[in-house]
Amino acid sequence: MMSKIVSRSLLLLTGIFLLSAQMFLAFPVFAAEPRLESIKVSQLDGDRIRLNVSLSAAVGAPKSFAIENPARICFDFPGVKNGLSRAASRAEYNVGVIKRVTVLEGAGKTRVVIDLNKSVPFEAQTQGQQTLITLAGSIPTKQTGSTPFSGQFSSKEASSGFNLRDIDFRRGTDGDGRVVIDLSDARIPIDLKEEGQQIRIRFAQTQLPARLQHKLDVTDFGTPVTMINTIRQGQDVEMTIHVNGYYENIAYQADRRFTIEVRPMSQEAKEQLQKKTFKYTGERLSLNFQDIEVRAVLQLIADFTGLNIVTSDTVTGNVTLRLRNVPWDQALDIILKTKGLSKRQNGNVLLIGPTEEMAAREKLELQSTQQVQDLSPLRAEYLQVNYAKAADIAALLKTDKNSMLSPRGTVSVDERTNTLLVQDTAAKIEEVRSLIARLDIPIRQVLIESRIVLASDDFQDILGIQMGVASKMRPGKEPVLGVAGSVLGPGGTGSSTVALGAPPASVNVGDRQSLNMLQTLPLSGSNTSLAQIGLTLARLPGGTVLDLELQALESEGLSKIVASPRLVTSNQQMAYIEQGTEIPYQESTSSGAASIAFKKAVLRLEVTPQITPDDHIIMDLKVNDDSVGAVTNGVPAINTKEMHTKVLVNNGETLVLGGIYTQTKNSQIDRIPFFGRLPLVGWMFKNQNISDQRSELMIFVTPKIIQEEMA
């Protein structure tokens, strides 16, 4: 009985285990949602800007659209979370045409918004977990291993074969009108202009089918758009959108679909626009009077506005006016201009009088003020200057054309104590004191760290054969034969070269080694050694020897030179650091005597930093990397690598300024005429030298603002 119970329990446990396993396998394993991890902005050649958007996982190509006003490009990454911090989600760049990049998350997607200074062409490419966005440049459309997509707005490029496929009008949920245009190609150049109550769009070098060339009345849709007129203009297509009332428009392009949204302007936006175009903002009123006194009308406006109006005794006369629903400040200006009056406002008090009287009164007040200033007693003050130079402040206070002091004021400088002695009225001295407090502040400092890397890679391959013929000397006679070739001395040691027609008399052909391997002979002008195999091919009658020498060399070198100049300088102050040598050489003076002159071959870093209010750094950089070149007539040449640029970087950001890549390939073949070109055996009569030299110069700069607590 117990065994049956145990068996049933085991069966039950086994069933539960299998059921759990099936349920576990039935549910999928959910992976973590992809996240946007970083956005990097870099400058390319040809004024192009590249954004590198990195994700935690590959999600395919995002969707994009462009807006002309304001200039903006948007990329949507569906199913992607925003992994950036709040500060990084809205970053100010101001690099090229890019002003800022904003990252927003919502509705199951992450949107990257690129705000631009102007509309430019763009192209995006998806490569695994990275999306490369390139602005304002022509990029090859065919890339291996990538999925490209592109869009552009208002491009200046034109191409043949463009046409409009369809034109449609739709009403939005907020009462906006949408003109949707299907294009045959996303590269069609588009130019959009706003002219009063019309929006004009020109499609350059584009064909218009006959069925689309018409006027489209869309008044019944109840949107600001009333009519759409599409016609041909030469080789272009021009579309005119007629709009009624105040409006705002947004144009954007997604692939081959171009959309213009025309929205009715909100009441707040309408009021702001009216304020810009209409300077009067007072509460509206209506006035209808026949031959009424001006003073009575002014009293009426004072009661309406609550202002205190003081009217001069010389203000007289009557006025007839009819104003309906106009701002009170406009009505007041109309009355004053009609009667030749002017106003002066001080707080809530308004003084009104004849224009000539008001001008004469102001002139009298100025003259009185000047007299008071001229008669005020002079005082002397010692003002200490801490950070600036007292002489610079004194030059700023009083110049030939402009002076902050009174005509009686003077300023002196004590350079030893860096103190100003100012003698002037009390009011002027206070102005000088306020100026010094504003200008005499510590200058911020910048640490410039740079790294200059010069990497080189050399390769050389030499292969060839030297053949020689030499004969024994006959007693009392000159040698009968000598042809260039390598000949080893007696015992196989040493070497000499037999020149044509002049073989060395010391050569003992009889002592020639039949085989000698791996003898190293230095190459001319280098430290490289050739591997040689010497072989006697034949001994001819008369003591003549035919020898063969095989030369082979393969060398490879890799070098890397790193220089790391560092310097500290004040804001907007030029500083430089250099390291190298001065090369002496002789030159002739005007008197004919020789003198010693010097040329510099140095590594020099020159920089002028400027700290912006938002703690960015503008750097004016000049980098020189010189070396000694060839010497001509005793004067050395200087090989230089120079770069001069002006860039804007963030505090502590490392910037790659530029790189110089050079590659020199050389292939030289020395051969005996006719024999070196023979098939099969021609290699026995030639020598081949192949060399490949590559070098690259990279410059990295990192500016850092020195904080006050660190100073």
Side-chain angles (χ1 to χ4, degrees):
M1 185 67 179
M2 184 60 69
S3 61
K4 291 182 179 180
I5 295 174
V6 172
S7 300
R8 291 179 179 177
S9 300
L10 291 175
L11 290 174
L12 181 61
L13 292 174
T14 303
I16 294 173
F17 175 77
L18 294 176
L19 181 61
S20 300
Q22 292 179 357
M23 292 178 63
F24 177 77
L25 295 175
F27 288 96
V29 180
F30 295 95
E33 290 183 315
R35 305 175 67 87
L36 194 151
E37 294 182 339
S38 65
I39 297 178
K40 298 181 179 179
V41 179
S42 59
Q43 285 187 309
L44 305 178
D45 57 337
D47 297 331
R48 297 182 301 163
I49 308 296
R50 172 165 290 178
L51 287 84
N52 190 344
V53 183
S54 299
L55 308 178
S56 61
V59 298
K63 299 180 180 179
S64 69
F65 62 90
I67 301 174
E68 185 193 30
N69 188 19
R72 182 177 295 167
I73 304 174
C74 301
F75 291 87
D76 290 339
F77 295 85
V80 177
K81 294 288 187 179
N82 181 17
L84 303 180
S85 62
R86 178 174 296 183
S89 297
R90 183 177 175 83
E92 301 285 341
Y93 288 98
N94 295 318
V95 178
V97 297
I98 298 179
K99 295 193 295 185
R100 72 183 63 87
V101 177
T102 306
V103 181
L104 305 172
E105 179 186 347
K109 64 182 179 183
T110 294
R111 172 169 293 182
V112 178
V113 182
I114 308 171
D115 291 314
L116 310 173
N117 295 321
K118 61 180 180 179
S119 298
V120 295
F122 69 93
E123 181 160 331
Q125 297 175 347
T126 301
Q127 300 178 350
Q129 300 178 7
Q130 295 183 341
T131 299
L132 305 180
I133 305 169
T134 307
L135 306 178
S138 59
I139 302 180
T141 57
K142 191 173 182 182
Q143 297 284 344
T144 304
S146 64
T147 305
F149 67 97
S150 63
Q152 62 181 7
F153 187 80
S154 295
S155 172
K156 299 298 182 182
E157 302 177 358
S159 176
S160 60
F162 295 156
N163 61 81
L164 302 186
R165 290 183 174 179
D166 194 15
I167 301 175
D168 191 15
F169 181 81
R170 304 170 185 175
R171 188 182 188 279
T173 56
D174 297 331
D176 56 304
R178 299 180 182 179
V179 183
V180 182
I181 306 157
D182 290 336
L183 311 174
S184 63
D185 197 308
R187 300 171 300 168
I188 293 180
I190 303 174
D191 185 24
L192 187 144
K193 297 180 182 178
E194 184 177 336
E195 300 177 355
Q197 298 298 115
Q198 295 180 351
I199 302 174
R200 298 184 182 274
I201 307 101
R202 181 175 291 271
F203 304 87
Q205 302 294 322
T206 305
Q207 303 295 323
L208 179 65
R211 61 182 180 84
L212 300 178
Q213 189 169 350
H214 55 73
K215 292 184 178 180
L216 184 62
D217 191 350
V218 294
T219 307
D220 297 338
F221 284 85
T223 69
V225 181
T226 58
M227 183 177 296
I228 304 171
N229 186 18
T230 309
I231 59 174
R232 285 192 53 83
Q233 292 285 351
Q235 297 182 354
D236 304 337
V237 175
E238 183 175 294
M239 175 181 291
T240 304
I241 302 175
H242 299 267
V243 187
N244 185 25
Y246 293 100
Y247 67 95
E248 55 184 356
N249 71 88
I250 299 176
Y252 55 89
Q253 180 176 343
D255 198 14
R256 292 182 296 179
R257 174 164 290 184
F258 182 74
T259 306
I260 306 111
E261 292 186 6
V262 182
R263 302 174 180 176
M265 188 173 293
S266 62
Q267 186 65 27
E268 182 180 355
K270 187 185 300 183
E271 292 177 356
Q272 292 294 332
L273 180 61
Q274 291 176 346
K275 288 180 180 179
K276 291 181 180 179
T277 58
F278 192 68
K279 64 180 181 178
Y280 300 106
T281 59
E283 188 176 352
R284 296 178 179 270
L285 54 74
S286 298
L287 300 175
N288 188 2
F289 296 103
Q290 296 286 333
D291 198 23
I292 188 175
E293 291 185 358
V294 175
R295 303 176 70 89
V297 177
L298 296 177
Q299 182 62 41
L300 182 63
I301 294 176
D303 296 337
F304 181 80
T305 60
L307 292 174
N308 298 313
I309 296 181
V310 179
T311 307
S312 175
D313 294 339
T314 55
V315 177
T316 59
N318 297 346
V319 63
T320 299
L321 52 90
R322 178 181 175 86
L323 301 175
R324 182 176 179 83
N325 196 26
V326 297
W328 71 264
D329 47 355
Q330 185 182 10
L332 179 61
D333 282 350
I334 293 174
I335 297 171
L336 297 181
K337 290 179 181 180
T338 303
K339 305 301 294 184
L341 305 176
S342 296
K343 64 179 180 180
R344 301 291 187 270
Q345 186 171 357
N346 186 8
N348 65 340
V349 178
L350 197 65
L351 178 63
I352 297 176
T355 303
E356 295 81 0
E357 181 183 338
M358 300 288 288
R361 182 177 300 176
E362 291 177 348
K363 181 180 179 180
L364 184 61
E365 291 178 355
L366 292 174
Q367 291 176 351
S368 177
T369 303
Q370 184 65 37
Q371 291 177 359
V372 171
Q373 186 177 1
D374 294 340
L375 298 176
S376 297
L378 299 180
R379 296 174 52 188
E381 288 279 349
Y382 295 94
L383 303 178
Q384 181 67 47
V385 182
N386 298 318
Y387 303 101
K389 291 184 178 181
D392 296 339
I393 300 293
L396 184 64
L397 290 176
K398 196 163 188 176
T399 62
D400 296 336
K401 297 182 179 181
N402 188 20
S403 177
M404 295 188 63
L405 304 178
S406 67
R408 298 184 298 158
T410 60
V411 57
S412 303
V413 178
D414 183 20
E415 296 183 356
R416 185 178 64 87
T417 60
N418 203 39
T419 303
L420 291 177
L421 173 60
V422 182
Q423 188 176 14
D424 211 329
T425 62
K428 288 295 182 179
I429 291 178
E430 282 302 317
E431 294 179 6
V432 173
R433 195 188 305 274
S434 178
L435 176 67
I436 294 176
R438 185 171 182 84
L439 300 182
D440 188 26
I441 58 176
I443 300 177
R444 306 179 70 181
Q445 300 185 40
V446 181
L447 171 64
I448 310 296
E449 298 179 338
S450 64
R451 184 175 294 267
I452 303 174
V453 181
L454 178 61
S456 60
D457 186 7
D458 301 330
F459 175 79
Q460 189 175 18
D461 186 8
I462 300 177
L463 179 64
I465 293 176
Q466 292 184 353
M467 299 185 66
V469 179
S471 68
K472 289 183 176 181
M473 297 182 60
R474 296 182 181 179
K477 296 184 179 181
E478 295 294 329
V480 296
L481 181 63
V483 181
S486 181
V487 179
L488 298 178
T493 60
S495 63
S496 61
T497 301
V498 182
L500 180 61
S506 61
V507 174
N508 189 346
V509 183
D511 295 331
R512 172 76 183 193
Q513 295 262 338
S514 61
L515 181 66
N516 190 292
M517 300 186 64
L518 300 179
Q519 292 289 329
T520 58
L521 299 177
L523 290 173
S524 178
S526 68
N527 297 323
T528 310
S529 296
L530 284 171
Q532 287 191 335
I533 299 177
L535 177 66
T536 301
L537 298 179
R539 294 179 181 269
L540 305 177
T544 300
V545 175
L546 177 64
D547 70 341
L548 179 144
E549 184 179 286
L550 177 64
Q551 298 180 341
L553 169 70
E554 183 175 321
S555 64
E556 185 175 1
L558 181 64
S559 63
K560 184 178 181 182
I561 302 175
V562 180
S564 301
R566 304 174 60 188
L567 56 88
V568 179
T569 183
S570 300
N571 184 29
Q572 299 185 0
Q573 296 295 319
M574 190 274 289
Y576 72 90
I577 183 173
E578 64 180 20
Q579 178 185 5
T581 182
E582 289 189 350
I583 306 163
Y585 66 96
Q586 287 187 348
E587 66 175 6
S588 300
T589 62
S590 58
S591 62
S595 64
I596 302 298
F598 295 88
K599 280 190 174 183
K600 286 187 177 182
V602 298
L603 171 65
R604 178 184 175 97
L605 172 64
E606 181 180 309
V607 59
T608 305
Q610 178 184 346
I611 303 175
T612 63
D614 55 351
D615 281 348
H616 288 66
I617 303 173
I618 300 174
M619 293 188 299
D620 191 352
L621 282 160
K622 186 177 181 180
V623 182
N624 285 83
D625 187 11
D626 302 337
S627 61
V628 183
V631 179
T632 306
N633 297 328
V635 180
I638 305 298
N639 301 326
T640 183
K641 299 181 180 67
E642 181 178 343
M643 185 200 65
H644 191 189
T645 185
K646 192 172 185 179
V647 294
L648 173 67
V649 297
N650 297 325
N651 180 27
E653 181 182 10
T654 299
L655 181 67
V656 181
L657 295 179
I660 302 176
Y661 178 80
T662 58
Q663 182 176 11
T664 304
K665 291 185 178 181
N666 186 27
S667 179
Q668 181 178 352
I669 299 177
D670 301 325
R671 61 168 65 91
I672 299 175
F674 179 74
F675 296 98
R677 298 183 181 275
L678 293 176
L680 300 179
V681 296
W683 60 273
M684 299 177 62
F685 302 95
K686 64 182 179 181
N687 184 11
Q688 187 174 9
N689 187 346
I690 300 175
S691 63
D692 188 3
Q693 298 179 349
R694 292 170 290 180
S695 64
E696 185 172 9
L697 175 66
M698 300 293 294
I699 303 173
F700 305 86
V701 178
T702 305
K704 298 179 180 178
I705 300 175
I706 300 178
Q707 303 297 330
E708 295 183 1
E709 59 269 19
M710 299 174 58

